[in-house]
Amino acid sequence: MKKITVNTSRVYEVFIGGRLLSHAGELLAAAVPVQKALVVSDDIVYPLYGKKLESSLSAAGFSCRNFVFPNGEAHKRLSVIEEILEYLAKEHFCRSDVVVALGGGVCGDMAGFAAAIFCRGIRYIQVPTTLLAAVDSSVGGKTAVDLSCGKNLCGAFHQPALVLCDTDTLSTLAPQNTADGLAEMLKYGVICDADLFEKVKNYKNEDMEALIARCVEIKRDVVAEDEFDRGTRQLLNLGHTVGHAIEAASGFKITHGQGVAAGMAIVARGAEALGLCTPGTAKQIEDALDACGLPQNCDFDADTLATLTLSDKKADGDFIHLIIPRRIGKCEIVRTKQDDVRRLIARGL
Ligand code: GLY
């Protein structure tokens, strides 16, 4: 088991290892008062792990409730948040109680956002059950729901009190879900760790717990430096500006990991064509994405994608903070005019 401490406005531990669900109660009791706990999960994850988690929490003295919503990005909406808030109020939750997010990124983002605004903020913990949530969304305190105009447009920064990544839960993931997580792991490699990039490409022969821990360490360092996303944290958005546009253009049939994968490749090819990136970098990214079963392009045109990037949170008037790979292991934030974003995407497609 690995333990990583995150130093933000709240200091918390991330535990990564097998059989952690069975120890969730004692680990949670060490982090928060033992009172009421609301397990928020979706209708695919809760039947798999909900009872195991609740029995561990109950054995440690927590009084458990659960709120289960339908799986999928389509349900990451304010209407579901309102239902969670009403449930917390009806069950007389207060600031000393805790919300437990059991699931993937959608669940963590929503449970975290409900916790951020209920009674102006109560504690929550993340129990990620997808690779993508384990290496990215469960750490760093970004919580949100989608609006009609774009992803994650309504949210808050609210750090969890604890993150428990039970690697046993990753064994039930469909290959597509694993690939989604690998896209985010490759992203960390492209941003700042060429060795990690090679290992993720070769993930079948690597120790997955160690790779997850390395990704969390990178995220820990970035978030400790820029918790509120005003500077270096934007590096973590490599591939995301174009990726979110691809997801939105597909009506969210294309998953987040697939969007980020194609977004990374498109930006790398575009940057290379415009002389912004070391020759050969795009091919290295394409090969790694291919090895991980991820797409390297999409069927949408540059105008469609460039227009959708305007709704991105990283938009700044007519400018976008685009993350440009210079080479594997080195990326930079480049404030780019909307027209130039369109040009770069067109070259990258
Ligand atoms: N997922 C990017 C971030 O947490 O900043």
Side-chain angles (χ1 to χ4, degrees):
M1 184 182 73
K2 308 259 185 313
K3 182 171 102 167
I4 295 167
T5 303
V6 183
N7 263 292
T8 50
S9 49
R10 177 194 293 279
V11 178
Y12 56 96
E13 314 287 2
V14 180
F15 290 91
I16 302 159
R19 295 181 38 77
L20 281 181
L21 282 183
S22 310
H23 297 285
E26 66 211 57
L27 292 167
L28 184 55
V32 306
V34 179
Q35 297 196 27
K36 280 194 287 229
L38 176 69
V39 175
V40 175
S41 192
D42 69 40
D43 59 359
I44 290 183
V45 175
Y46 187 81
L48 290 171
Y49 306 118
K51 289 298 164 212
K52 191 172 190 181
L53 175 62
E54 283 175 14
S55 56
S56 173
L57 298 180
S58 301
F62 289 93
S63 167
C64 292
R65 318 275 190 281
N66 60 69
F67 182 96
V68 179
F69 62 93
N71 176 270
E73 185 81 28
H75 301 282
K76 194 173 150 183
R77 305 295 293 200
L78 279 170
S79 54
V80 180
I81 294 294
E82 187 176 3
E83 286 178 38
I84 299 173
L85 298 177
E86 291 289 358
Y87 186 81
L88 286 165
K90 186 167 78 65
E91 294 292 318
H92 306 294
F93 272 65
C94 61
R95 282 201 185 135
S96 47
D97 296 320
V98 65
V99 170
V100 179
L102 172 69
V106 168
C107 174
D109 282 9
M110 291 224 296
F113 185 46
I117 58 177
F118 183 73
C119 290
R120 299 199 177 91
I122 69 171
R123 294 180 189 86
Y124 77 111
I125 73 158
Q126 293 271 15
V127 186
T129 59
T130 65
L131 187 55
L132 194 148
V135 298
D136 183 26
S137 55
S138 65
V139 178
K142 279 190 180 174
T143 75
V145 292
D146 300 336
L147 298 180
S148 311
C149 278
K151 271 183 68 117
N152 298 333
L153 288 180
C154 173
F157 289 98
H158 188 50
Q159 299 294 338
L162 177 70
V163 181
L164 297 179
C165 171
D166 184 336
T167 47
D168 294 339
T169 64
L170 307 179
S171 63
T172 55
L173 288 178
Q176 178 56 60
N177 293 124
T178 301
D180 283 344
L182 293 170
E184 293 283 356
M185 296 170 85
L186 285 173
K187 176 197 81 176
Y188 288 112
V190 179
I191 292 170
C192 64
D193 188 336
D195 181 51
L196 174 67
F197 180 81
E198 286 305 319
K199 286 183 171 155
V200 175
K201 184 175 158 190
N202 190 32
Y203 69 99
K204 286 182 187 142
N205 306 317
E206 294 286 338
D207 170 359
M208 200 42 117
E209 186 178 308
L211 293 188
I212 294 170
R214 178 65 193 131
C215 294
V216 171
E217 279 172 0
I218 294 172
K219 181 141 192 190
R220 180 261 326 262
D221 293 345
V222 172
V223 168
E225 188 181 325
D226 177 25
E227 179 174 353
F228 298 106
D229 210 11
R230 296 191 182 107
T232 47
R233 185 166 180 171
Q234 292 176 17
L235 286 170
L236 300 178
N237 290 325
L238 170 66
H240 283 58
T241 302
V242 178
H244 282 167
I246 293 170
E247 281 180 80
S250 77
F252 296 100
K253 286 191 188 72
I254 292 177
T255 64
H256 180 65
Q258 290 173 323
V260 168
M264 264 193 295
I266 291 166
V267 169
R269 282 193 299 267
E272 213 174 295
L274 296 172
L276 302 172
C277 165
T278 309
T281 305
K283 173 81 168 75
Q284 283 176 282
I285 292 175
E286 287 170 343
D287 288 349
L289 293 172
D290 191 36
C292 293
L294 286 157
Q296 298 116 56
N297 214 334
C298 72
D299 292 332
F300 305 107
D301 60 51
D303 283 334
T304 303
L305 296 180
T307 303
L308 283 164
T309 62
L310 277 178
S311 295
D312 198 275
K313 290 183 305 311
K314 294 162 290 294
D316 167 11
D318 283 343
F319 290 84
I320 302 274
H321 290 178
L322 209 56
I323 316 307
I324 301 288
R326 301 298 191 198
R327 56 180 154 76
I328 302 300
K330 173 87 181 142
C331 286
E332 276 169 31
I333 305 164
V334 180
R335 196 164 174 267
T336 311
K337 270 211 181 104
Q338 179 65 21
D339 277 352
D340 293 333
V341 172
R342 202 203 64 77
R343 246 188 301 281
L344 186 138
I345 292 173
R347 298 295 298 270
L349 282 171

